[in-house]
Amino acid sequence: QVQLQESGPGLVKPSETLSLTCTVSGGSVRSGSYDWSWIRQPPGKGLEWIGNIYYSGSPKYNPSLKSRVTISLDTSKNQLSLKLSSVTAADTAVYYCARAGSSSFYFDSWGQGTLLTVSS
Amino acid sequence: EIVLTQSPDFQSVTPKEKVTITCRASQSIGSSLHWYQQKPDQSPKLLIKYASQSFSGVPSRFSGSGSGTDFTLTINSLEAEDAATYYCHQSSTLPWTFGQGTKVEIK
């Protein structure tokens, strides 16, 4: 059974770039059957899809964040990563990585999430 | 982007009661609508895929229906463990979007 585990710094200063990693176990990010997303949830609020990546394709991003987001895969470590530049307090959220079928598009596996706080 | 609007935002329900949550899309999405359950301090879990297909291991009291723009999640005979926030999600058109959530409280 696939497991996803997010990791990150916990605290980032305004205007800096946040970097998060999601380590996948029990499955491979090189699998052509799945794509891998980042989703975030501000405290007490709903879910926002940030973007996704498929092993043999280009990443896709939410237009609301596209100018600041980079999602990539590290196949040697079986990880996906998220970089979000020029962060503000509005980027404070729990960040989840999640797996979806490459042709089915629902999120069948989620990490436990990592809280990222933007504060000076 | 496609906007999903859930109703109600909050529902307080007694055990064994039936719960109905609706999700309305701002344009037709066929059956590309999925439902998730999120308990406090946990990540969301998939309940229903493609409007009406139960995901593996989900109790049979959870069911979904609808197509086009109007969808429903039904919980028959609510149990205490069903206290959670429920979200719909559309995968018809990028960017993927979620409803604002419906919180179900047990009386």
Side-chain angles (χ1 to χ4, degrees), chain A residues 77-94:
Chain A
K77 296 181 180 179
N78 214 33
Q79 292 177 336
L80 65 155
S81 67
L82 168 71
K83 294 188 188 300
L84 182 65
S85 63
S86 304
V87 299
T88 70
D91 296 310
T92 294
V94 174

PDB file of all heavy atoms in Angstrom, chain A residues 77-94:
ATOM      1  N   LYS A  77      15.211   9.423  -5.477  1.00  0.00           N
ATOM      2  CA  LYS A  77      14.797   9.376  -4.069  1.00  0.00           C
ATOM      3  C   LYS A  77      13.312   9.015  -3.924  1.00  0.00           C
ATOM      4  O   LYS A  77      12.810   8.928  -2.809  1.00  0.00           O
ATOM      5  CB  LYS A  77      15.045  10.734  -3.408  1.00  0.00           C
ATOM      6  CG  LYS A  77      16.516  11.123  -3.332  1.00  0.00           C
ATOM      7  CD  LYS A  77      16.692  12.468  -2.649  1.00  0.00           C
ATOM      8  CE  LYS A  77      18.146  12.858  -2.568  1.00  0.00           C
ATOM      9  NZ  LYS A  77      18.346  14.181  -1.922  1.00  0.00           N
ATOM     10  N   ASN A  78      12.636   8.824  -5.044  1.00  0.00           N
ATOM     11  CA  ASN A  78      11.193   8.549  -5.051  1.00  0.00           C
ATOM     12  C   ASN A  78      10.423   9.644  -4.311  1.00  0.00           C
ATOM     13  O   ASN A  78       9.597   9.373  -3.422  1.00  0.00           O
ATOM     14  CB  ASN A  78      10.882   7.173  -4.449  1.00  0.00           C
ATOM     15  CG  ASN A  78       9.698   6.501  -5.120  1.00  0.00           C
ATOM     16  OD1 ASN A  78       9.474   6.670  -6.322  1.00  0.00           O
ATOM     17  ND2 ASN A  78       8.938   5.738  -4.354  1.00  0.00           N
ATOM     18  N   GLN A  79      10.714  10.872  -4.681  1.00  0.00           N
ATOM     19  CA  GLN A  79      10.115  12.021  -4.013  1.00  0.00           C
ATOM     20  C   GLN A  79       9.527  13.002  -5.032  1.00  0.00           C
ATOM     21  O   GLN A  79       9.959  13.061  -6.180  1.00  0.00           O
ATOM     22  CB  GLN A  79      11.179  12.784  -3.207  1.00  0.00           C
ATOM     23  CG  GLN A  79      11.723  12.039  -2.013  1.00  0.00           C
ATOM     24  CD  GLN A  79      12.830  12.817  -1.310  1.00  0.00           C
ATOM     25  OE1 GLN A  79      13.501  13.675  -1.895  1.00  0.00           O
ATOM     26  NE2 GLN A  79      13.024  12.528  -0.025  1.00  0.00           N
ATOM     27  N   LEU A  80       8.555  13.766  -4.555  1.00  0.00           N
ATOM     28  CA  LEU A  80       8.138  14.947  -5.299  1.00  0.00           C
ATOM     29  C   LEU A  80       8.380  16.159  -4.416  1.00  0.00           C
ATOM     30  O   LEU A  80       8.438  16.040  -3.179  1.00  0.00           O
ATOM     31  CB  LEU A  80       6.682  14.884  -5.765  1.00  0.00           C
ATOM     32  CG  LEU A  80       5.547  14.873  -4.751  1.00  0.00           C
ATOM     33  CD1 LEU A  80       4.295  15.427  -5.416  1.00  0.00           C
ATOM     34  CD2 LEU A  80       5.264  13.474  -4.276  1.00  0.00           C
ATOM     35  N   SER A  81       8.576  17.280  -5.059  1.00  0.00           N
ATOM     36  CA  SER A  81       8.900  18.481  -4.301  1.00  0.00           C
ATOM     37  C   SER A  81       8.026  19.645  -4.752  1.00  0.00           C
ATOM     38  O   SER A  81       7.484  19.667  -5.857  1.00  0.00           O
ATOM     39  CB  SER A  81      10.371  18.848  -4.450  1.00  0.00           C
ATOM     40  OG  SER A  81      10.638  19.248  -5.775  1.00  0.00           O
ATOM     41  N   LEU A  82       7.905  20.617  -3.854  1.00  0.00           N
ATOM     42  CA  LEU A  82       7.143  21.836  -4.120  1.00  0.00           C
ATOM     43  C   LEU A  82       8.000  23.024  -3.715  1.00  0.00           C
ATOM     44  O   LEU A  82       8.558  23.032  -2.619  1.00  0.00           O
ATOM     45  CB  LEU A  82       5.848  21.839  -3.301  1.00  0.00           C
ATOM     46  CG  LEU A  82       5.084  23.162  -3.261  1.00  0.00           C
ATOM     47  CD1 LEU A  82       4.454  23.455  -4.619  1.00  0.00           C
ATOM     48  CD2 LEU A  82       3.995  23.125  -2.176  1.00  0.00           C
ATOM     49  N   LYS A  83       8.109  23.985  -4.599  1.00  0.00           N
ATOM     50  CA  LYS A  83       8.737  25.259  -4.264  1.00  0.00           C
ATOM     51  C   LYS A  83       7.724  26.359  -4.541  1.00  0.00           C
ATOM     52  O   LYS A  83       7.124  26.385  -5.624  1.00  0.00           O
ATOM     53  CB  LYS A  83      10.019  25.490  -5.061  1.00  0.00           C
ATOM     54  CG  LYS A  83      11.134  24.521  -4.715  1.00  0.00           C
ATOM     55  CD  LYS A  83      12.438  24.895  -5.387  1.00  0.00           C
ATOM     56  CE  LYS A  83      13.502  23.829  -5.196  1.00  0.00           C
ATOM     57  NZ  LYS A  83      13.814  23.584  -3.768  1.00  0.00           N
ATOM     58  N   LEU A  84       7.550  27.249  -3.563  1.00  0.00           N
ATOM     59  CA  LEU A  84       6.628  28.367  -3.690  1.00  0.00           C
ATOM     60  C   LEU A  84       7.384  29.628  -3.299  1.00  0.00           C
ATOM     61  O   LEU A  84       7.833  29.754  -2.156  1.00  0.00           O
ATOM     62  CB  LEU A  84       5.410  28.175  -2.788  1.00  0.00           C
ATOM     63  CG  LEU A  84       4.325  29.248  -2.844  1.00  0.00           C
ATOM     64  CD1 LEU A  84       3.674  29.281  -4.223  1.00  0.00           C
ATOM     65  CD2 LEU A  84       3.266  29.012  -1.775  1.00  0.00           C
ATOM     66  N   SER A  85       7.532  30.539  -4.227  1.00  0.00           N
ATOM     67  CA  SER A  85       8.347  31.723  -4.000  1.00  0.00           C
ATOM     68  C   SER A  85       7.523  32.891  -3.468  1.00  0.00           C
ATOM     69  O   SER A  85       6.291  32.896  -3.518  1.00  0.00           O
ATOM     70  CB  SER A  85       9.036  32.138  -5.301  1.00  0.00           C
ATOM     71  OG  SER A  85       8.074  32.504  -6.269  1.00  0.00           O
ATOM     72  N   SER A  86       8.241  33.877  -2.936  1.00  0.00           N
ATOM     73  CA  SER A  86       7.628  35.136  -2.476  1.00  0.00           C
ATOM     74  C   SER A  86       6.436  34.905  -1.567  1.00  0.00           C
ATOM     75  O   SER A  86       5.347  35.447  -1.783  1.00  0.00           O
ATOM     76  CB  SER A  86       7.222  35.987  -3.686  1.00  0.00           C
ATOM     77  OG  SER A  86       8.301  36.224  -4.547  1.00  0.00           O
ATOM     78  N   VAL A  87       6.629  34.091  -0.554  1.00  0.00           N
ATOM     79  CA  VAL A  87       5.508  33.718   0.309  1.00  0.00           C
ATOM     80  C   VAL A  87       5.051  34.886   1.181  1.00  0.00           C
ATOM     81  O   VAL A  87       5.838  35.783   1.534  1.00  0.00           O
ATOM     82  CB  VAL A  87       5.849  32.499   1.181  1.00  0.00           C
ATOM     83  CG1 VAL A  87       6.152  31.291   0.312  1.00  0.00           C
ATOM     84  CG2 VAL A  87       7.007  32.800   2.125  1.00  0.00           C
ATOM     85  N   THR A  88       3.774  34.849   1.516  1.00  0.00           N
ATOM     86  CA  THR A  88       3.176  35.806   2.444  1.00  0.00           C
ATOM     87  C   THR A  88       2.384  35.025   3.488  1.00  0.00           C
ATOM     88  O   THR A  88       2.274  33.792   3.408  1.00  0.00           O
ATOM     89  CB  THR A  88       2.233  36.771   1.723  1.00  0.00           C
ATOM     90  OG1 THR A  88       1.067  36.047   1.291  1.00  0.00           O
ATOM     91  CG2 THR A  88       2.904  37.428   0.523  1.00  0.00           C
ATOM     92  N   ALA A  89       1.807  35.750   4.432  1.00  0.00           N
ATOM     93  CA  ALA A  89       1.027  35.092   5.479  1.00  0.00           C
ATOM     94  C   ALA A  89      -0.128  34.278   4.887  1.00  0.00           C
ATOM     95  O   ALA A  89      -0.569  33.288   5.475  1.00  0.00           O
ATOM     96  CB  ALA A  89       0.499  36.128   6.466  1.00  0.00           C
ATOM     97  N   ALA A  90      -0.608  34.680   3.728  1.00  0.00           N
ATOM     98  CA  ALA A  90      -1.706  33.965   3.079  1.00  0.00           C
ATOM     99  C   ALA A  90      -1.312  32.566   2.630  1.00  0.00           C
ATOM    100  O   ALA A  90      -2.182  31.747   2.308  1.00  0.00           O
ATOM    101  CB  ALA A  90      -2.218  34.765   1.880  1.00  0.00           C
ATOM    102  N   ASP A  91      -0.013  32.278   2.600  1.00  0.00           N
ATOM    103  CA  ASP A  91       0.457  30.947   2.223  1.00  0.00           C
ATOM    104  C   ASP A  91       0.578  30.018   3.413  1.00  0.00           C
ATOM    105  O   ASP A  91       0.938  28.839   3.263  1.00  0.00           O
ATOM    106  CB  ASP A  91       1.811  31.047   1.504  1.00  0.00           C
ATOM    107  CG  ASP A  91       1.706  31.793   0.184  1.00  0.00           C
ATOM    108  OD1 ASP A  91       0.818  31.459  -0.619  1.00  0.00           O
ATOM    109  OD2 ASP A  91       2.515  32.716  -0.040  1.00  0.00           O
ATOM    110  N   THR A  92       0.283  30.510   4.611  1.00  0.00           N
ATOM    111  CA  THR A  92       0.263  29.656   5.793  1.00  0.00           C
ATOM    112  C   THR A  92      -0.837  28.616   5.649  1.00  0.00           C
ATOM    113  O   THR A  92      -2.009  28.939   5.435  1.00  0.00           O
ATOM    114  CB  THR A  92       0.016  30.491   7.068  1.00  0.00           C
ATOM    115  OG1 THR A  92       1.138  31.354   7.291  1.00  0.00           O
ATOM    116  CG2 THR A  92      -0.193  29.594   8.286  1.00  0.00           C
ATOM    117  N   ALA A  93      -0.456  27.348   5.746  1.00  0.00           N
ATOM    118  CA  ALA A  93      -1.417  26.271   5.487  1.00  0.00           C
ATOM    119  C   ALA A  93      -0.797  24.922   5.829  1.00  0.00           C
ATOM    120  O   ALA A  93       0.411  24.809   6.017  1.00  0.00           O
ATOM    121  CB  ALA A  93      -1.829  26.263   4.007  1.00  0.00           C
ATOM    122  N   VAL A  94      -1.651  23.904   5.912  1.00  0.00           N
ATOM    123  CA  VAL A  94      -1.178  22.528   5.885  1.00  0.00           C
ATOM    124  C   VAL A  94      -1.050  22.137   4.421  1.00  0.00           C
ATOM    125  O   VAL A  94      -1.988  22.332   3.635  1.00  0.00           O
ATOM    126  CB  VAL A  94      -2.154  21.578   6.609  1.00  0.00           C
ATOM    127  CG1 VAL A  94      -1.705  20.133   6.449  1.00  0.00           C
ATOM    128  CG2 VAL A  94      -2.247  21.946   8.089  1.00  0.00           C
TER     129      VAL A  94
END
